[in-house]
Amino acid sequence: MTLGYIYRPKENRIKNQKALRIGIYGFAILYIICCLHLDKHIDMVKCEYPFGVIDILGTTMCVITVLLISDMLSSKYYHYGALDIVGKHTMLILCIHTIEFNVFPWYIISKIFNILELDRWFGPTQALIRIIGAMLIAKMAERIDLQNVFKGRY
C-alpha cells in the first residue's frame, strides 16, 4: 500500500523512462525465477527473508511491476473488469486475507502436496487460490452495498 501511495507522484518519472521500466521488469522477473528455482519465499508473518536485502528489493520491483502493468491496462481499458473491482475493494480483501491466513487449513493442503511429491506446486497453487478468492470477495462486495452495511466507515 505504501508503494502504491509513493508510486502515484513519481509515476511519470517511472513510466516515461523506458530503461528504468526495463530494469524494474528485469529485476522482478529475475527475482521470481531465483525464488522459484531455489524454492525460497518470504514469509512476512514470521519475518523470514531468506535473501535479506535482495528480498526487499525484489518484492519492491515486483510491486512496482504490478503497478506499471495495472496502470498500462487501465490506460488502455478504462474499466478492465476484475482489476477495477479488486482495486476498489483492496482494504476489504486485505482484511479477509488476514483472517483467511490464520483460519484456512493451508498446512493440510501443504501436507497433501508433500505426500503427492508436488511440493514445488504448493506455492503457485496457493497464490492462484488466493487470487481467485480475492476476486470472488471483490465481486461479492460489488453486489452488497458495503457503505450501507458499515455505515460509511468502509
Coordinates of all heavy atoms in Angstrom, one line a residue, residues 45 51 59 84 87 105 115 118 122:
V45 N 4.8 -12.9 7.9 CA 4.2 -13.2 9.2 C 5.3 -13.6 10.2 O 5.4 -13.2 11.3 CB 3.1 -14.3 9.2 CG1 2.7 -14.7 10.6 CG2 2.0 -13.8 8.3
F51 N 16.8 -14.1 1.5 CA 17.8 -13.3 0.7 C 18.1 -11.9 1.3 O 18.8 -11.1 0.7 CB 17.5 -13.2 -0.8 CG 17.2 -14.6 -1.4 CD1 16.0 -14.8 -2.1 CD2 18.2 -15.6 -1.4 CE1 15.8 -16.0 -2.7 CE2 18.0 -16.8 -2.0 CZ 16.8 -17.0 -2.6
T59 N 10.9 -7.8 -4.0 CA 9.5 -7.6 -3.8 C 9.0 -6.2 -4.2 O 7.9 -6.0 -4.7 CB 9.1 -7.9 -2.4 OG1 9.8 -7.2 -1.5 CG2 9.2 -9.4 -2.1
D84 N -10.5 -3.6 -11.9 CA -11.2 -2.4 -11.4 C -11.9 -2.7 -10.2 O -11.9 -2.0 -9.2 CB -12.2 -1.9 -12.5 CG -12.8 -0.6 -12.2 OD1 -12.1 0.3 -11.7 OD2 -14.0 -0.4 -12.5
G87 N -9.4 -3.5 -7.3 CA -8.8 -2.2 -6.8 C -9.7 -1.5 -5.9 O -9.2 -0.9 -4.9
P105 N -7.0 -24.0 6.5 CA -6.0 -25.0 6.9 C -5.0 -25.3 5.8 O -4.9 -26.3 5.2 CB -6.9 -26.3 7.1 CG -8.1 -26.0 6.2 CD -8.3 -24.5 6.2
I115 N 2.8 -35.2 0.3 CA 2.6 -36.7 0.1 C 2.6 -37.0 -1.4 O 3.2 -38.0 -1.8 CB 1.3 -37.1 0.8 CG1 1.4 -37.0 2.3 CG2 0.9 -38.5 0.3 CD1 0.1 -37.2 3.1
L118 N 4.5 -33.0 -4.8 CA 4.2 -31.9 -5.6 C 4.6 -30.6 -4.8 O 3.9 -29.5 -5.0 CB 2.8 -31.8 -6.1 CG 2.3 -33.0 -6.9 CD1 0.8 -32.9 -7.1 CD2 3.0 -32.9 -8.3
F122 N 2.9 -26.2 -4.5 CA 2.1 -25.7 -3.5 C 2.0 -24.1 -3.5 O 0.9 -23.6 -3.4 CB 2.6 -26.2 -2.1 CG 1.8 -25.6 -1.0 CD1 0.4 -25.9 -0.8 CD2 2.3 -24.7 -0.1 CE1 -0.3 -25.4 0.3 CE2 1.6 -24.1 0.9 CZ 0.3 -24.5 1.1

